[in-house]
Amino acid sequence: MRWLVLFLVLLNVGIWYGAEALQPPPVSGAVGEGNLPRVASLKSEAPPEPPEPASDAAGAAPVQAAVAQSQPEPPGLACVRLGWFENREVGEALVASQPLADEVGMVLEERVRELPSFHWVIIPPQPRPVALKQFRDIQRQGIDSYLVTEGENRNAISLGLFESRSAAISVLEEKKGQNLNAVLANFPRNQISYALVFKAEPDLAEDLVQAVEAGRGSNFDFIEINPCEGVATAEKSP
C-alpha cells in the first residue's frame, strides 16, 4: 500500500514538470505592442536646409532701396534776414515792390538794437536849486546846454553829446578852462530798426536778395542766409 502511494506522488510530480517544459517561452509586452524604435528614428535630425537664394527679380527691390538711400536729400529752405531799415514805411514800400513777397512770406521784423554810446560832457547832478542857478548862469554866457530833468542824471547839466571821443575830450578841456566842473560820461542809446525776413529755396533766396538790394539802391548793413531749423525733409527708407 505504501508503495502505491509513493508511486502516485512521483507520477504527479512528473506530470507537473512535464507541463512546465511544454509551455512556450514568455514574450515581452513591448514587442507584442510594436513599440521598439525603428533604426531610422535613432539617427540625429538632419540640419535644416538653407533657404534658396532669392531670384534676381526678388532681390532687385533691396538693391534699389539702398541706391535710393545713398542719394543726397533735396536741400531745405533758406531763412533770409537783411537790414537795416531805419524807417518802416521805406521797408514796407520795398516789400510791396517784390512780385514774390507773398509767396515767400516776406515781412518786416522790428528790432530794438543797441548802438555805440555817445560821449557825454556834463556837469554832474546837484541839488535842484543849485543846478537851476548854475544852468541860468551858463545860459547867460551863451554856452549851449540843457538841464536834465529825469533819469539817474536828473539835475545834471548837459554840455554836449559826441560820437567821437576825441571831440568830447576837446570840449571837456574847453569847459574846464571856463571854470566849469564838467566830466565825461557814457550816454547809452538804442534805436528801433527794421529787418526784412523771408524763407525760400536757396537758389531763389539768392535771387530775391539781389532783387531787394537793386530795389533799395544801396547795400544793406548785413545779409544772413542760413538753413532754416525745424524744416521737415523727406524720410529715409528703413
Side-chain angles (χ1 to χ4, degrees):
M1 186 66 179
R2 288 184 297 178
W3 291 107
L4 179 60
V5 174
L6 179 62
F7 173 77
L8 290 176
V9 172
L10 293 175
L11 179 62
N12 287 334
V13 171
I15 293 172
W16 184 82
Y17 276 106
E20 288 288 335
L22 293 176
Q23 288 183 3
V27 181
S28 170
V31 175
E33 295 175 358
N35 292 333
L36 287 177
R38 296 183 180 181
V39 175
S41 65
L42 297 177
K43 295 180 180 180
S44 61
E45 294 183 1
E49 296 182 1
E52 297 181 1
S55 64
D56 293 340
V63 173
Q64 292 176 358
V67 173
Q69 290 182 13
S70 64
Q71 295 177 353
E73 295 182 1
L77 295 179
C79 285
V80 182
R81 184 169 174 267
L82 57 162
W84 296 103
F85 296 97
E86 308 301 337
N87 185 288
R88 174 181 283 276
E89 287 71 23
V90 173
E92 289 177 344
L94 185 57
V95 171
S97 68
Q98 300 301 313
L100 299 179
D102 291 339
E103 181 177 337
V104 299
M106 192 177 291
V107 295
L108 287 180
E109 176 184 81
E110 182 178 299
R111 285 291 184 90
V112 178
R113 57 191 182 110
E114 185 176 346
L115 301 179
S117 299
F118 281 133
H119 303 284
W120 195 11
V121 180
I122 64 170
I123 297 174
Q126 305 174 81
R128 185 167 180 79
V130 177
L132 281 172
K133 180 179 183 302
Q134 187 174 19
F135 175 66
R136 295 189 185 102
D137 291 341
I138 293 173
Q139 289 283 303
R140 282 194 292 268
Q141 296 177 39
I143 299 175
D144 188 14
S145 60
Y146 72 87
L147 182 66
V148 181
T149 58
E150 58 184 12
E152 62 181 53
N153 288 309
R154 182 179 180 183
N155 296 324
I157 299 173
S158 174
L159 301 175
L161 289 170
F162 304 90
E163 290 187 9
S164 168
R165 180 176 175 82
S166 59
I169 292 176
S170 177
V171 171
L172 177 65
E173 296 299 329
E174 177 186 343
K175 300 310 178 185
K176 286 183 176 180
Q178 297 172 347
N179 294 323
L180 297 176
N181 58 331
V183 297
L184 194 61
N186 288 328
F187 184 84
R189 57 182 181 137
N190 296 323
Q191 181 176 347
I192 296 177
S193 300
Y194 302 90
L196 189 64
V197 296
F198 62 90
K199 297 179 182 179
E201 293 183 357
D203 291 342
L204 178 58
E206 295 280 356
D207 295 339
L208 288 175
V209 167
Q210 294 179 7
V212 171
E213 279 192 310
R216 184 181 184 181
S218 61
N219 295 330
F220 287 97
D221 296 328
F222 70 91
I223 298 175
E224 298 176 357
I225 304 178
N226 299 309
C228 294
E229 296 182 359
V231 177
T233 58
E235 294 183 358
K236 295 183 179 180
S237 300

